[in-house]
Amino acid sequence: MASTTPPDVAARVEASIRRFKLTRLLSQDQAGRRITLLGTIDDLPALLLAERAAFAVDNAYLSSFPTSLSRIKNLGANDVYAWFLANRAFPSSSYPSHGEKDEGEEGEDGDAFHAPDFKLSLIHPCTPKHVAKYTPAPLRLVTETPAVYAAYIRPWIAAQRAPPALAWIANILAGTSEQDDVLHRNADPQRGFVLLPDLNWDRKSVAGLHLLVLVARSDVWSMRDLQHGDAAWLRGLSADVRRTVGELYGVDEDQVKLYVHYQPTYHHFHVHVVHVQAEAGATQAVGKAVLLESVVGMLEAVGEGRGMADVSVAYTVSEGSGIWDKVWGVLKDGGVPDVSKF
Amino acid sequence: MASTTPPDVAARVEASIRRFKLTRLLSQDQAGRRITLLGTIDDLPALLLAERAAFAVDNAYLSSFPTSLSRIKNLGANDVYAWFLANRAFPSSSYPSHGEKDEGEEGEDGDAFHAPDFKLSLIHPCTPKHVAKYTPAPLRLVTETPAVYAAYIRPWIAAQRAPPALAWIANILAGTSEQDDVLHRNADPQRGFVLLPDLNWDRKSVAGLHLLVLVARSDVWSMRDLQHGDAAWLRGLSADVRRTVGELYGVDEDQVKLYVHYQPTYHHFHVHVVHVQAEAGATQAVGKAVLLESVVGMLEAVGEGRGMADVSVAYTVSEGSGIWDKVWGVLKDGGVPDVSKF
């Protein structure tokens, strides 16, 4: 990390950062951890790009991390869980006066001195189950041919739908629960749907918009059940959803992206709706997400009497998940999945 | 942000964080900005999840940000560009001794006290072109029907391929440039390909692996040129690449994900190769990426004599990009793109 810049140049550019005068925030991305500021230095225009550094992962860093914190502020605690904001501290040798006495003191300095550096969560005492949850499970890419779908995956999905697994969806569609969350309802039994906010959306930032469409039809377990003849229904659904989102949030119809998951978390057909500007993470990644327009394109291409069940589909599966243990892990080991045990 | 926790509980959990003793790093994600540590507090197992906070974006924070930095360390400078590491400072009222005198001092405290908090880049003086580059362009989702592809997009792609646009690819394939970067070469004129590291890969972290496959065939401009009869070629290519990546990096064949971009950045058919565990961002998002297995599945489904040019495809386009200005923006305004001006 040693600089190759001549020392006088390095000193000059380092000093110029402190003279940066803000005009305005130009952009913000990477979950808010990168910002671009437009401003001036010595009356000439300048851009300052700042991003939060990644954590170091060497043992020396990680061991001293808990004691390197200051201004730890508890936000809440429940059972074994507690969450906090915190700042980093400087070495005690450099700052002998360091301690908790600055807690809550707001001097005449700007807010950037007081903003939190870290969000922390503590689970104590934790169980092996907690440890498993936070240990990354290896993923495997599998290719589900029409034959594998028919023989093993469709029966596995049927087992996932056994009551009361989907009762919560029936309750939302029937209007008996979560009605405060329903943003829009189309009551048509065949073309109807309910629009809800996704759990991961803060319900504030329109650029981060993430909604879910639960369709009224209960005969579509996943995209695999969609037939050539459903293309028109899906085109209409897409148009309805775009128009509704436009009315609710002032988003143009071509600023909305619709996709489905395969495998989905629950097997009642539902569609994810995000703002095109929303930051794309695992939920939008190929190998998990399929654009609704792609599904429609495929349905139109496969022709009369055929559907998504006739197409090979690849996706990622976590080792240790139910579908891995019952189907994909067995196939990988050269075995035959036992449908009677699904 | 006020805590609802009783003060004695808050004080107890805040103090317990400092007594956290590290056992090991359990996971790391969000581009290294979130870590999960396994350890003990008072001899009971505990998990500590730490993530870098997002930047505040209010004016008070952003205005004081440049002066809130300490230990600004220049890493390099070139023309109007300079880049740095930096730490946050505490308010001068709390730490009257604060200044640059700690620069480079490494006391007996742990490394976490010295690790950088921020990466900075400065462009000074900057031009309107720099400002435009860092101002987010609105994205629009477009649906490219077979008719739009044939009438406007294929001619637009042909124009993008005008010499010398793809000379660099010819040079790599011919073995006259970037040969130090070539990880593997299959010299077959029809089934051949060259494997290269993607520019965004650090070439170190196998879990972040990102490679590119440039195919030897130059008659495939994009996935739109793929025909039903190409499915077998692509299946073979996928198997070759998986085997090669396994040999080079010790990655299992089902731990690799292959996808293409549409629209791609350059119009010579190439395939992205990533580790399934790699963090998914915009490069893997639906509306930009299409899984190679999905392309193969579609080619098999469309039947003899047809291909990807017969399927509707949706993708996002930046306003102000060439394809927006020449095609999509014109169509949105109800106009007819002028192919003679591509």
Side-chain angles (χ1 to χ4, degrees):
Chain A
M1 285 295 190
S3 174
T4 55
T5 322
D8 59 320
V9 175
R12 179 175 57 74
V13 291
E14 284 166 14
S16 63
I17 284 190
R18 294 184 192 281
R19 297 199 305 279
F20 182 92
K21 295 218 179 322
L22 178 73
T23 307
R24 65 188 166 88
L25 175 68
L26 213 56
S27 70
Q28 184 192 11
D29 58 4
Q30 299 185 356
R33 291 169 182 146
R34 186 169 69 177
I35 52 176
T36 305
L37 305 178
L38 176 65
T40 56
I41 297 173
D42 307 337
D43 295 327
L44 287 173
L47 287 175
L48 179 60
L49 288 70
E51 56 182 278
R52 297 278 193 190
F55 287 98
V57 291
D58 58 284
N59 229 52
Y61 176 89
L62 295 175
S63 299
S64 59
F65 177 74
T67 51
S68 78
L69 299 167
S70 73
R71 300 161 62 100
I72 300 172
K73 180 157 184 54
N74 177 254
L75 296 177
N78 183 0
D79 189 37
V80 299
Y81 306 94
W83 43 103
F84 311 85
L85 295 176
N87 285 114
R88 60 114 63 210
F90 279 83
S92 53
S93 54
S94 305
Y95 300 97
S97 65
H98 174 258
E100 293 304 298
K101 71 184 169 104
D102 60 321
E103 192 78 42
E105 271 178 36
E106 301 287 313
E108 56 201 89
D109 293 290
D111 285 13
F113 292 99
H114 300 282
D117 298 316
F118 302 108
K119 293 200 287 189
L120 306 174
S121 303
L122 183 67
I123 309 177
H124 175 241
C126 71
T127 65
K129 214 164 165 178
H130 288 122
V131 176
K133 180 178 170 189
Y134 287 99
T135 303
L139 291 175
R140 301 281 174 182
L141 188 79
V142 299
T143 299
E144 188 181 294
T145 60
V148 168
Y149 171 68
Y152 309 119
I153 302 299
R154 189 168 166 82
W156 180 82
I157 292 176
Q160 307 312 301
R161 289 176 47 92
L166 299 180
W168 66 276
I169 291 175
N171 291 339
I172 293 173
L173 291 170
T176 58
S177 70
E178 293 189 47
Q179 294 312 292
D180 291 350
D181 283 340
V182 170
L183 303 168
H184 177 80
R185 176 184 293 275
N186 174 329
D188 185 285
Q190 271 303 304
R191 310 179 67 85
F193 64 92
V194 161
L195 192 66
L196 299 161
D198 185 87
L199 285 178
N200 295 313
W201 185 40
D202 65 9
R203 305 195 186 189
K204 282 180 228 153
S205 149
V206 170
L209 181 127
H210 189 164
L211 309 175
L212 286 178
V213 175
L214 290 181
V215 303
R217 286 177 62 175
S218 60
D219 59 328
V220 186
W221 299 359
S222 77
M223 72 169 188
R224 282 295 201 186
D225 289 308
L226 296 166
Q227 297 293 315
H228 177 73
D230 290 318
W233 165 55
L234 292 172
R235 284 213 183 279
L237 179 70
S238 174
D240 278 2
V241 168
R242 287 168 195 283
R243 194 173 46 246
T244 304
V245 171
E247 287 163 8
L248 290 171
Y249 300 104
V251 177
D252 291 349
E253 298 190 5
D254 60 358
Q255 289 185 304
V256 171
K257 197 154 72 167
L258 283 77
Y259 59 90
V260 299
H261 281 161
Y262 194 78
Q263 292 289 335
T265 310
Y266 50 92
H267 291 86
H268 175 107
F269 189 64
H270 59 284
V271 180
H272 293 259
V273 182
V274 296
H275 195 291
V276 285
Q277 226 78 27
E279 228 155 314
T283 179
Q284 291 194 29
V286 290
K288 172 76 181 170
V290 184
L291 209 62
L292 187 63
E293 269 79 1
S294 297
V295 174
V296 174
M298 273 190 272
L299 291 174
E300 290 174 341
V302 292
E304 203 65 53
R306 304 181 73 212
M308 287 298 295
D310 300 304
V311 179
S312 275
V313 178
Y315 54 91
T316 53
V317 174
S318 272
E319 279 187 37
S321 63
I323 198 172
W324 178 263
D325 288 343
K326 297 275 176 78
V327 182
W328 293 108
V330 177
L331 290 173
K332 187 177 164 88
D333 291 342
V336 177
D338 183 351
V339 176
S340 72
K341 292 198 176 139
F342 282 2
Chain B
M1 285 296 191
S3 174
T4 55
T5 322
D8 59 320
V9 175
R12 180 175 56 74
V13 291
E14 283 166 16
S16 64
I17 285 188
R18 293 184 194 281
R19 298 199 306 280
F20 182 92
K21 295 218 179 321
L22 178 74
T23 307
R24 65 188 166 87
L25 175 69
L26 212 56
S27 69
Q28 184 193 10
D29 57 4
Q30 299 186 355
R33 292 170 183 146
R34 186 168 70 176
I35 52 175
T36 304
L37 305 178
L38 176 65
T40 55
I41 298 174
D42 308 336
D43 294 328
L44 287 173
L47 287 176
L48 180 60
L49 288 70
E51 56 182 279
R52 297 280 193 190
F55 288 98
V57 291
D58 57 284
N59 228 53
Y61 175 89
L62 295 175
S63 299
S64 59
F65 177 75
T67 51
S68 78
L69 299 167
S70 73
R71 298 161 62 100
I72 299 172
K73 181 156 183 56
N74 178 255
L75 297 177
N78 184 359
D79 190 36
V80 298
Y81 306 94
W83 43 103
F84 311 85
L85 295 176
N87 284 115
R88 60 117 61 209
F90 279 83
S92 53
S93 53
S94 306
Y95 300 98
S97 65
H98 174 259
E100 292 305 298
K101 73 191 169 92
D102 60 323
E103 193 77 47
E105 271 179 35
E106 301 288 314
E108 57 200 86
D109 294 289
D111 285 15
F113 292 98
H114 300 282
D117 297 317
F118 302 108
K119 294 200 288 188
L120 306 173
S121 303
L122 183 68
I123 309 178
H124 176 241
C126 70
T127 65
K129 215 164 166 177
H130 288 122
V131 176
K133 180 178 169 189
Y134 287 99
T135 303
L139 291 175
R140 300 280 172 184
L141 188 80
V142 300
T143 299
E144 187 180 296
T145 60
V148 169
Y149 171 69
Y152 309 119
I153 303 299
R154 190 168 165 81
W156 181 81
I157 292 176
Q160 308 312 302
R161 290 175 46 91
L166 300 178
W168 64 278
I169 291 175
N171 291 340
I172 292 173
L173 290 170
T176 56
S177 69
E178 294 189 46
Q179 294 312 293
D180 291 349
D181 283 340
V182 170
L183 303 168
H184 178 81
R185 177 184 293 275
N186 174 329
D188 186 285
Q190 271 302 303
R191 311 180 66 86
F193 64 92
V194 161
L195 192 67
L196 299 161
D198 185 86
L199 284 179
N200 295 312
W201 184 39
D202 64 9
R203 304 194 187 191
K204 282 179 224 154
S205 149
V206 170
L209 180 127
H210 189 164
L211 309 175
L212 286 178
V213 175
L214 290 180
V215 303
R217 286 176 62 175
S218 59
D219 59 329
V220 187
W221 298 359
S222 76
M223 72 170 188
R224 281 293 201 187
D225 289 308
L226 296 166
Q227 297 293 314
H228 177 73
D230 289 319
W233 166 55
L234 292 172
R235 284 213 183 279
L237 179 69
S238 174
D240 277 2
V241 169
R242 287 167 196 282
R243 194 174 47 247
T244 304
V245 171
E247 287 163 8
L248 290 172
Y249 300 104
V251 177
D252 291 350
E253 297 188 6
D254 60 359
Q255 290 185 304
V256 171
K257 197 153 74 169
L258 283 77
Y259 58 90
V260 299
H261 280 162
Y262 194 78
Q263 292 288 334
T265 309
Y266 49 93
H267 291 86
H268 175 108
F269 190 64
H270 59 285
V271 180
H272 293 259
V273 182
V274 296
H275 196 290
V276 285
Q277 225 79 27
E279 228 155 316
T283 178
Q284 291 193 29
V286 290
K288 173 76 181 171
V290 184
L291 208 62
L292 187 63
E293 269 79 1
S294 297
V295 174
V296 174
M298 274 190 272
L299 291 173
E300 290 173 341
V302 292
E304 203 66 54
R306 305 180 74 213
M308 287 298 295
D310 299 304
V311 179
S312 274
V313 178
Y315 54 92
T316 54
V317 174
S318 273
E319 278 187 38
S321 63
I323 198 173
W324 178 264
D325 288 343
K326 298 276 176 77
V327 182
W328 292 110
V330 178
L331 290 174
K332 186 177 164 90
D333 291 342
V336 177
D338 183 351
V339 176
S340 73
K341 292 197 175 138
F342 281 1

